[in-house]
Amino acid sequence: MAQLSTLIPLVRERCGDVLAKFALDHLKRAYHKFCAESLYLARSQQFNQGEAALLTIDDEHSFGGVSFVLDTNGHELERGIDYNVSVAGEVHLTTNTPAFRVFYYITPLFSLPDDFNANETLISKFADYLADGAASTLMKMPNTQWTDINFSEHYRRNFTDGYRLAYREAINALDEQRPTKPREFY
């Protein structure tokens, strides 16, 4: 796992002499938004029928949502008809299948500790985008030497492009495991 504090130099490149505490706080906010928007922290878990299907959530994270559920034969189950999901991340199966696999995603908590261990792959691949996200909000702070609304908007657009890129990557990875539904034409 990687520390978000390793990205502070990238934020300082964008915002000058910003204090490390400010940079880290805004990096945590950017990391939270990046994960929530990109669905990058995807997980899958298999259950047998009759088991309590409570999804495993990492420490300092919360349940984000279920992408899809597959039965034993690899067919996609329909939400609301074949299964239901609680707010806490518990899947209740309403159809009869011996086993099922749940594909879901998690998001970090909004209030993260300073020594939070972030996803290493996400940090290494999207470090510049996360620094852009932190810089975009830091530059909106009033009465600081690094305040610059125009550059803030530039960094916000870069950050948005970054989590959209990560979203496409996460969805493509999920789609490789998702079966294709035959289309019915009338």
Side-chain angles (χ1 to χ4, degrees):
M1 292 293 196
Q3 296 284 318
L4 287 172
S5 59
T6 60
L7 301 180
I8 290 174
L10 292 174
V11 176
R12 283 189 168 152
E13 285 177 11
R14 290 154 174 81
C15 292
D17 295 328
V18 65
L19 298 173
K21 179 64 177 154
F22 285 149
L24 184 58
D25 286 346
H26 287 264
L27 276 167
K28 290 188 290 189
R29 290 179 190 176
Y31 182 76
H32 176 270
K33 182 168 176 80
F34 194 95
C35 292
E37 295 292 335
S38 70
L39 312 180
Y40 197 80
L41 300 179
R43 306 283 189 267
S44 71
Q45 200 170 345
Q46 182 151 347
F47 299 98
N48 294 320
Q49 187 172 11
E51 287 182 347
L54 184 60
L55 299 172
T56 304
I57 310 298
D58 297 351
D59 291 340
E60 298 167 347
H61 288 77
S62 63
F63 173 68
V66 170
S67 297
F68 59 94
V69 177
L70 300 179
D71 67 6
T72 310
N73 300 323
H75 295 95
E76 187 172 348
L77 302 176
E78 288 191 48
R79 187 179 190 142
I81 296 173
D82 299 321
Y83 70 93
N84 295 309
V85 181
S86 73
V87 176
E90 188 169 1
V91 179
H92 303 282
L93 204 61
T94 58
T95 189
N96 193 11
T97 183
F100 59 101
R101 179 168 287 281
V102 180
F103 293 84
Y104 64 102
Y105 58 94
I106 59 175
T107 58
L109 298 174
F110 188 73
S111 176
L112 295 170
D114 289 347
D115 60 346
F116 171 72
N117 286 323
N119 182 286
E120 193 168 331
T121 305
L122 194 143
I123 294 293
S124 63
K125 285 179 93 171
F126 301 104
D128 285 323
Y129 294 115
L130 289 167
D132 288 343
S136 73
T137 56
L138 278 166
M139 289 183 162
K140 290 179 186 175
M141 291 178 72
N143 302 325
T144 62
Q145 63 187 17
W146 57 81
T147 300
D148 190 333
I149 299 300
N150 293 328
F151 271 132
S152 170
E153 185 61 26
H154 167 74
Y155 288 129
R156 187 197 60 78
R157 282 192 301 269
N158 287 349
F159 178 63
T160 302
D161 290 345
Y163 67 67
R164 286 179 179 167
L165 179 68
Y167 175 79
R168 280 191 293 269
E169 188 177 304
I171 293 301
N172 288 340
L174 275 176
D175 283 347
E176 289 176 7
Q177 299 178 27
R178 187 178 214 161
T180 57
K181 289 184 180 180
R183 290 189 168 175
E184 295 179 20
F185 295 99
Y186 296 98

